[in-house]
mmCIF file of all heavy atoms in Angstrom:
data_model
loop_
_atom_site.group_PDB
_atom_site.id
_atom_site.type_symbol
_atom_site.label_atom_id
_atom_site.label_comp_id
_atom_site.label_asym_id
_atom_site.label_seq_id
_atom_site.Cartn_x
_atom_site.Cartn_y
_atom_site.Cartn_z
ATOM 1 N N SER L 188 36.239 -117.402 90.062
ATOM 2 C CA SER L 188 37.561 -117.303 89.445
ATOM 3 C C SER L 188 37.502 -117.520 87.937
ATOM 4 O O SER L 188 38.300 -116.967 87.195
ATOM 5 C CB SER L 188 38.522 -118.311 90.072
ATOM 6 O OG SER L 188 38.032 -119.631 89.894
ATOM 7 N N TYR L 231 30.091 -109.350 87.497
ATOM 8 C CA TYR L 231 29.089 -108.292 87.559
ATOM 9 C C TYR L 231 28.642 -107.948 86.137
ATOM 10 O O TYR L 231 29.405 -107.991 85.186
ATOM 11 C CB TYR L 231 29.612 -107.044 88.283
ATOM 12 C CG TYR L 231 30.911 -106.496 87.756
ATOM 13 C CD1 TYR L 231 30.953 -105.642 86.660
ATOM 14 C CD2 TYR L 231 32.117 -106.816 88.376
ATOM 15 C CE1 TYR L 231 32.145 -105.129 86.188
ATOM 16 C CE2 TYR L 231 33.316 -106.307 87.912
ATOM 17 C CZ TYR L 231 33.326 -105.463 86.810
ATOM 18 O OH TYR L 231 34.517 -104.965 86.343
ATOM 19 N N SER L 299 18.311 -110.732 137.434
ATOM 20 C CA SER L 299 18.955 -111.826 138.155
ATOM 21 C C SER L 299 19.363 -112.895 137.174
ATOM 22 O O SER L 299 18.709 -113.129 136.173
ATOM 23 C CB SER L 299 17.989 -112.431 139.182
ATOM 24 O OG SER L 299 18.496 -113.640 139.690
ATOM 25 N N ALA L 373 32.925 -115.092 113.225
ATOM 26 C CA ALA L 373 34.088 -114.642 113.992
ATOM 27 C C ALA L 373 34.108 -113.122 113.942
ATOM 28 O O ALA L 373 34.064 -112.527 112.861
ATOM 29 C CB ALA L 373 35.375 -115.207 113.405
ATOM 30 N N SER L 399 28.005 -81.952 125.380
ATOM 31 C CA SER L 399 28.620 -81.873 126.703
ATOM 32 C C SER L 399 29.268 -83.205 127.020
ATOM 33 O O SER L 399 28.601 -84.240 127.060
ATOM 34 C CB SER L 399 27.565 -81.525 127.760
ATOM 35 O OG SER L 399 27.042 -80.235 127.508
ATOM 36 N N GLN L 498 41.554 -107.591 125.478
ATOM 37 C CA GLN L 498 40.707 -107.167 126.601
ATOM 38 C C GLN L 498 39.611 -108.203 126.842
ATOM 39 O O GLN L 498 38.834 -108.504 125.940
ATOM 40 C CB GLN L 498 40.086 -105.800 126.305
ATOM 41 C CG GLN L 498 39.244 -105.244 127.438
ATOM 42 C CD GLN L 498 38.770 -103.825 127.139
ATOM 43 O OE1 GLN L 498 39.380 -103.118 126.334
ATOM 44 N NE2 GLN L 498 37.688 -103.418 127.764
ATOM 45 N N ILE L 529 33.697 -112.147 110.020
ATOM 46 C CA ILE L 529 34.015 -113.167 109.021
ATOM 47 C C ILE L 529 33.148 -114.385 109.310
ATOM 48 O O ILE L 529 33.052 -114.824 110.459
ATOM 49 C CB ILE L 529 35.501 -113.561 109.055
ATOM 50 C CG1 ILE L 529 36.379 -112.380 108.629
ATOM 51 C CG2 ILE L 529 35.774 -114.761 108.152
ATOM 52 C CD1 ILE L 529 37.859 -112.638 108.759
#
Side-chain angles (χ1 to χ4, degrees):
S188 60
Y231 53 84
S299 168
S399 296
Q498 183 174 337
I529 294 175

